[in-house]
Structure formats: C-alpha cells, structure tokens
Amino acid sequence: MRTPIAWLNLVHEKTRLVVAIAGVAFAVILVFMNLGFLGSLAKTAALIYNQINADIFLVSPQALEITTTKAFPIERIYQAAGVPGVERTMPLYVGYLQWRNPITRQSRAMFVYGINPNDPVFVMPELRSPENQAALRRWDTVLIDRLSRPEFGPQDIGTVTEAGRRNVTIGGQYSMGGGFASDGTLIMSDQNFRRYLAPIPLNLINLGLIKLEPGADPQQVKAELQRILPKDVLVFTRQEIIERDRDYWISATSIGFMFTMGVIVSLVVGVVIVYQILYTDIASHMKQYATLKAMGYNKRFLFALILQEAIILAVLGYIPGFIIAVGLYELTTRATAGGLPIGMEVSRAVLVLVLTILMCSISGLISVQKAVTADPADVF
Amino acid sequence: MIHHSTAPSFEFNDIGLADDQYAVRIRNLSHHFGTGDLKTQVLYDINLDLKRGQIVILTGPSGSGKTTLISLIGALRSAQSGSLKVLGKELVGLNKAQLVEVRRNIGFIFQAHNLFDSLTASQNVEMAVELLEDWGEKRAKAAEILAKVGLASRVHYKPKALSGGQKQRVAIARALVNEPALILADEPTAALDKKSGREVVTLMQKLAKEQGRTILIVTHDNSILDVADRIINLVDGRLESDQSLETFVNTHDPKSLDRRMFIM
C-alpha cells in the first residue's frame, strides 16, 4: 500500500485540520440551509394540495399559484360533473383578509379558504367534527389554522376580533400550515366568504375541485375535461398542479433565485476557505515536494496528493456539517411551528456531498498550481 | 594550476575504459541563466569524467557554479549545450518527464534533510521505495537500510523525535534505499555539528565502498575532505583543478586553505 501521505500530512497539523474542517462544515451548513428552504418551497406546494380532497384541479390560465388565482365561472365544475369517472365537483374560493390581532390591534393578511360546508373539501378529519361543522355554518364565524404565526393573536375558540372591517368569531381550529405565501390561514363557509371579501359573487370560483370515482384514470378524465371545457380553465392532476406551483416559486419568484444564489455564495466561501488551508499546507511543504520531485516523483503525483487532501477535507467537513444541518432543520421546523416543512432528504444529502467534494476539488486545483511548480533544483 | 582558457579535461584520453565504467561523462558543458540582456553564463566548457565507485568532492567558492553543476548532473535542470552523460544516458535535450525518469536512478542528499514531519523515519524512506512500486518489501527494505545507518531503534520515530544527525541519516537512508549507482550530496554536513557531520560522511563512505556507489559531494567543509578519492575545484564556472586528496592538501598551504574554506 502507498504511504497515505495526504492523510498523514493533514492529521499532522491538528489545529490547521480543525480549522479546515470547521471551514468546510460552515459552507456545508450554509448550502444545506439554502437547499432546505428551497426544498421546503416544493414541499409547501405539496402540503396544501395534499390536504385538499380532490384528484383533478381546474384553475384559470392566469393563476400563478394557489394564492394568486383568477376567478372563473362556476359553470365549469357543473360541466365537469357530467364527465364519466367524476364522482363529485366542489368550488373553492380563496383570498386574503386583514385579520386584526385582538391584543395588539395590529392587522395582518390572512389567507382564506371559502368552502361549501356540505363539501368534503379538505382531508383533515378534525374538520368533520360536529363542533367544527356547526361553527362553519354560523354567521361571521371561522376556523383558524393552529400553525398560523403567533402575531395573529390568540386562537382560542370564542375569541372575537375584526377581519375586513367586520366582527369575526373563532369557531374552531385545524392544522394545515400556510407555506411561503401566507403566514396564517382561515377556513370559512362560502356565504361568509362572500360577505368578508365582498364584492365577490359566488358564481366566480378560484379553484374547481374534482373528485374521481374509485378506479377512474385521472389522465383519461383530464383529457376528456380538456376536450369539453372552454379555454378559460386549465386542467391539472394533483401531481401536475403541485409541480406547477413549485416551479412558480422556484423559477418565477426571487425566492428561488435567492436560495440558489445562497448556495453559490456558500460554495464560493467554501472554495476560498479550503484554498487558504491547502495553500498554507503546500507552502509549508514546498521543500518536501521539491525533494519528492528530485527523487523521481512526477507532477501527476503531487497533483493527486493535493487533490486527495482536498477530498479528505471535503468528507471530514461534510460529516459535522451534515449533523449540524439536521439539527438546524429541526430547529427551523420548530421555530415556524411546522409551517415550513424543512427536512433532510437522501437526494439532497448526496447532492451536497458531491457539491462539497467539487468545492474542495476546485480549491485543490487552484492551490495545486503552487505545488507542481516546486522546483527540485531549488533544494540544492 | 591550469589556466582557465585551456579548459582542462580530466581522464579524457583514458580510452581503455568503456562508457559504462563511468557514472558521469561531461564534455564541453556550458550553462546560462536568464535570457536577453540578463543572460549570464555560469558554467564554461566543463569536461569531467567520474569513474564508478569513486567518491568525489566538488569544492569551490560561493557562486562558482558548484550547485548548478550538481543539479545538471542530477537531472534537476535541463542541460543546455555540450554533452552530459549520466549512468550512460545523454541528458542534453531531454524533456522534463524524461529527466524525472533519470532522477529515479540517482540518490539525493540535501543540505536540509527535507523529511516529511508527518511521516515516520520508515515511511519517509518508504516513499523512495514506492517509486519502484515495490509494495510488498518496502517496509523490510526501509528497516534494513535504517539499520545500516544505525537507526534500527528509531524506525518508527517521527523527525521531531530525532536529532539533527539522525534526521540526516534518515535522509541518507532514503537516498540509498533504492541502491542508486550515483549519489549526489549537497553540503550534507552543513546543518550538523562536527561530530555528527563526521559520522554522516563516514557512513556514506562505508556504504559507497561496500556497494560500489559513485558519490559526488559538494561541500565547504574541509574536515571531510579525507573521505574523497578525488577533489575537484570549481572557480567562476571553470574547472580549476582536479587532484587526489594528497596533492590537494600538499599544494594548498593549510592556512590559505582554511581561509579559503571560511570565506566561501
């Protein structure tokens, strides 16, 4: 076996090694956090749609994502109801409402779902409790999301405050999470929705929800719906609309750009840190490298040696970086009360490992220039 | 003393000896540094033959071109003009990769030991054995040569735990482990005290005699001149004299010899 000189050189300088590992770990953590936020964008989109009890969604072609929709005629879901394989169609109204915190008297925008109380629009079982069902049917009464930010004030049942210049009573609670677009959500009946978000007529809906009969093929029904419906609605399966929302957040908003930029900047910082460490290491070993060359080792050997050091640093820095990132993910999830679903995924762990190795290799390639110039004639 | 302009050649007419009886054959070797206006000639028309099995000391004042000459012989620099045959191979005109190949047959001992602090004595020596891709025996070979240089009990010590003389002996072991036919040493005693320096040189002499190695030592240290079969003096890039030890000592007044050695 070849003497593991790269490894021995690195572990020989304990302090330098610790600093190097800390530097790499730092970059790894930053990359993980940025990718985590980016990933939670995607998850958020899925999170909302997965709580909706529908297989096919109708939206206006002008809709960007669930909180930015354009209303279309309710007749579309009546037309869809006639298609074979469709079990049930339901309207969903969405909009923003100013919700006043009853304690601080500060108003904030709350995202509102308006539903027909007779429709099983959401899958959350707690919505079907008799208390919540009764509350949904009362005037000026709403259900509030427990995962709404604390700035919206108390969520206790019976709390009375003001929303959109009307009194409102909290009649019940559910758990859903608002994702990136909203800090809090409400569910109310379509009748209440019409009054709070006046002047919206109930014959214009934001989403058409279509539940299929068991065994029906979504693609087939989708094709039929596309055939019979006018061009003022688009037809998506659940997976498609999740991807559409995700793509919107990632590519059409600055959020996606911001986190991608964050990843790049973190990697650049990592490259610089590792370069510094490797350069110092090379500078202090120039005589030895020149001696190796005098003995008959070629440039390729030194090249491989520095690259090995870089990759060892990558792996050694990745391990603590990974562990700390998992901890920070947990912390973020808790800090946002589950509203920001951020968690470790195998694919991301692998991606970051590859990026880290790439990052260190780039540093290695930059710093190796110095090592290969070690002139054996200089040691004489 | 021979006049510079005559460009003396030594053993040049010794036709009786075949090429492979020489470790080094140099003909009309000149060397320049820099280019254009800054071009400076450092070696002038050197002619020199080193027979196999000889211990040769190369001496001369600072800036006389000793180091340039030894680094050319060691294939550490590209030779520019003339002819330079090392172990039967012509070095003039070789590219860098070919020079690397030549170097694998030469043992180098430097002024500084240049050992890796992170490696043990054995591992430092093994680095040389690995050049031959001799994985199986490298440890045994390293241990054997370290025993020969008197470091049997220090095989697994790192350089920090060794004295200056011991470190230089590890460096010698590293240079000798692959049994090179030619060993080049640049001021091997400079970093050592008198006693360790003496030990190191005696050791080199012993190993050379046992194994028939050619050793070229560049030195200012006149206390080690006695190990040499030949002493070559280089002044201002020209070979000034080439004589046996006795002649060298006899022709140099001891006082002036000493003075010359100290100002260098």
Side-chain angles (χ1 to χ4, degrees):
Chain A
M1 199 192 81
R2 204 174 266 288
T3 305
I5 188 165
W7 167 257
L8 291 170
N9 270 356
L10 282 176
V11 297
H12 186 67
E13 293 272 352
K14 300 274 186 307
T15 321
R16 198 185 285 167
L17 180 67
V18 169
V19 172
I21 289 175
V24 175
F26 175 70
V28 168
I29 292 166
L30 287 179
V31 170
F32 264 125
M33 289 321 284
N34 280 292
L35 287 179
F37 289 129
L38 203 57
S40 71
L41 271 179
K43 270 197 187 164
T44 305
L47 189 89
I48 294 172
Y49 287 107
N50 284 339
Q51 304 279 17
I52 297 176
N53 188 21
D55 304 299
I56 290 185
F57 296 78
L58 302 183
V59 291
S60 156
Q62 292 177 47
L64 298 175
E65 43 85 38
I66 194 162
T67 67
T68 324
T69 54
K70 174 104 170 52
F72 59 87
I74 197 166
E75 284 76 16
R76 299 296 166 260
I77 62 170
Y78 300 153
Q79 287 169 288
V83 170
V86 172
E87 184 187 295
R88 175 175 203 146
T89 62
M90 301 169 281
L92 178 62
Y93 306 89
V94 296
Y96 280 103
L97 188 59
Q98 287 295 318
W99 178 271
R100 174 175 281 187
N101 178 332
I103 294 170
T104 65
R105 323 228 18 105
Q106 290 281 319
S107 285
R108 274 176 84 107
M110 190 75 120
F111 187 63
V112 187
Y113 296 96
I115 62 171
N116 181 336
N118 299 317
D119 285 343
V121 167
F122 294 101
V123 294
M124 293 90 82
E126 52 193 341
L127 285 181
R128 291 210 236 309
S129 71
E131 296 81 20
N132 276 344
Q133 282 293 315
L136 262 181
R137 287 172 171 79
R138 278 200 294 276
W139 287 122
D140 297 342
T141 303
V142 299
L143 307 183
I144 191 166
D145 191 347
R146 290 189 196 90
L147 301 179
S148 302
R149 287 198 58 88
E151 285 83 348
F152 287 108
Q155 302 174 346
D156 305 320
I157 293 168
T159 303
V160 178
T161 182
E162 200 177 287
R165 308 168 76 103
R166 299 175 70 93
N167 273 345
V168 63
T169 308
I170 295 177
Q173 299 171 337
Y174 63 97
S175 292
M176 184 152 127
F180 269 89
S182 47
D183 294 333
T185 70
L186 297 175
I187 294 176
M188 59 174 72
S189 69
D190 45 6
Q191 294 302 323
N192 278 325
F193 188 87
R194 200 186 70 76
R195 282 140 48 86
Y196 279 107
L197 284 96
I200 293 175
L202 286 181
N203 60 5
L204 285 178
I205 67 174
N206 300 97
L207 276 94
L209 310 178
I210 299 172
K211 184 140 182 57
L212 298 183
E213 285 168 355
D217 176 16
Q219 289 302 333
Q220 212 175 330
V221 177
K222 180 190 160 188
E224 177 63 11
L225 286 170
Q226 280 173 325
R227 196 181 64 77
I228 63 157
L229 293 176
K231 295 291 164 239
D232 60 353
V233 286
L234 295 176
V235 187
F236 294 111
T237 64
R238 178 201 299 274
Q239 198 51 44
E240 285 165 355
I241 198 158
I242 288 172
E243 280 164 17
R244 187 173 188 267
D245 271 31
R246 189 186 58 203
D247 289 350
Y248 168 79
W249 284 115
I250 292 177
S251 46
T253 68
S254 52
I255 300 178
F257 173 77
M258 199 168 82
F259 292 130
T260 311
M261 205 59 202
V263 170
I264 294 169
V265 169
S266 317
L267 289 174
V268 169
V269 168
V271 165
V272 172
I273 294 174
V274 178
Y275 168 75
Q276 290 282 353
I277 299 287
L278 286 177
Y279 189 88
T280 317
D281 188 62
I282 291 167
S284 64
H285 285 119
M286 277 310 266
K287 283 207 144 199
Q288 281 82 354
Y289 292 150
T291 305
L292 287 182
K293 276 185 139 185
M295 283 159 62
Y297 280 101
N298 51 23
K299 273 186 190 179
R300 202 172 336 126
F301 177 84
L302 291 183
F303 201 83
L305 174 65
I306 303 301
L307 221 55
Q308 277 174 39
E309 287 196 11
I311 290 169
I312 291 170
L313 283 182
V315 174
L316 289 184
Y318 177 82
I319 295 166
F322 176 86
I323 293 167
I324 294 170
V326 169
L328 286 177
Y329 279 178
E330 184 62 35
L331 204 72
T332 309
T333 310
R334 270 192 217 155
T336 57
L340 212 57
I342 186 167
M344 189 55 76
E345 287 163 14
V346 179
S347 60
R348 188 185 305 148
V350 173
L351 173 72
V352 175
L353 179 60
V354 171
L355 284 175
T356 311
I357 290 175
L358 210 67
M359 169 183 94
C360 291
S361 303
I362 292 172
S363 310
L365 290 179
I366 303 172
S367 51
V368 84
Q369 303 302 331
K370 184 175 174 69
V372 297
T373 59
D375 186 357
D378 286 346
V379 289
F380 259 145
Chain B
M1 182 129 345
I2 303 152
H3 195 265
H4 287 164
S5 59
T6 59
S9 69
F10 305 105
E11 298 178 24
F12 193 47
N13 300 316
D14 201 349
I15 309 161
L17 288 169
D19 216 31
D20 65 351
Q21 280 175 285
Y22 294 103
V24 179
R25 302 201 84 173
I26 302 175
R27 291 292 172 271
N28 308 320
L29 181 73
S30 295
H31 197 80
H32 299 82
F33 282 132
T35 49
D37 289 347
L38 296 173
K39 192 166 175 176
T40 329
Q41 188 163 5
V42 285
L43 291 179
Y44 296 85
D45 209 17
I46 306 281
N47 287 290
L48 177 67
D49 287 331
L50 300 185
K51 246 187 273 179
R52 290 195 188 246
Q54 274 190 335
I55 297 183
V56 180
I57 283 184
L58 177 60
T59 167
S62 293
S64 61
K66 303 187 299 292
T67 301
T68 309
L69 181 59
I70 198 173
S71 62
L72 285 172
I73 296 172
L76 298 171
R77 280 182 207 287
S78 303
Q80 295 163 341
S81 64
S83 165
L84 170 57
K85 276 192 183 168
V86 174
L87 303 171
K89 180 133 186 136
E90 176 60 59
L91 300 194
V92 175
L94 292 193
N95 64 29
K96 293 221 163 175
Q98 289 167 319
L99 289 177
V100 170
E101 283 303 315
V102 173
R103 293 206 288 268
R104 295 189 176 192
N105 303 309
I106 302 173
F108 292 94
I109 299 164
F110 305 106
Q111 186 169 349
H113 53 80
N114 294 348
L115 300 175
F116 277 99
D117 282 337
S118 52
L119 305 185
T120 63
S122 174
Q123 285 169 328
N124 268 297
V125 175
E126 286 167 35
M127 286 301 293
V129 187
E130 286 175 18
L131 274 168
L132 308 178
E133 317 221 323
D134 188 356
W135 315 111
E137 283 178 78
K138 64 169 188 172
R139 199 141 294 169
K141 279 189 171 180
E144 189 192 330
I145 193 81
L146 282 168
K148 270 193 189 156
V149 300
L151 292 175
S153 58
R154 298 283 191 274
V155 171
H156 298 299
Y157 282 46
K158 287 196 175 167
K160 265 202 183 120
L162 299 173
S163 71
Q166 287 171 332
K167 279 187 256 197
Q168 194 60 299
R169 278 190 273 160
V170 175
I172 290 174
R174 180 174 61 183
L176 297 182
V177 68
N178 287 341
E179 308 188 344
L182 176 63
I183 294 155
L184 302 177
D186 183 39
E187 305 277 4
T189 58
L192 305 177
D193 60 63
K194 225 178 176 80
K195 184 167 161 285
S196 337
R198 186 74 228 171
E199 280 171 12
V200 161
V201 174
T202 316
L203 179 71
M204 284 167 65
Q205 185 186 28
K206 179 170 152 267
L207 294 172
K209 289 299 168 206
E210 278 174 14
Q211 306 176 345
R213 312 263 174 260
T214 309
I215 304 187
L216 178 61
I217 305 173
V218 167
T219 190
H220 283 132
D221 184 355
N222 62 349
S223 71
I224 63 169
L225 294 180
D226 61 294
V227 300
D229 300 316
R230 276 170 78 191
I231 297 171
I232 299 167
N233 199 11
L234 196 66
V235 176
D236 291 336
R238 292 176 173 88
L239 278 186
E240 195 199 59
S241 67
D242 182 6
Q243 47 222 164
S244 66
L245 177 65
E246 292 74 28
T247 340
F248 186 81
V249 172
N250 293 338
T251 53
H252 289 75
D253 165 50
K255 267 188 188 155
S256 76
L257 178 70
D258 279 345
R259 199 190 68 237
R260 286 173 59 131
M261 289 303 164
F262 284 122
I263 56 167
M264 284 159 200

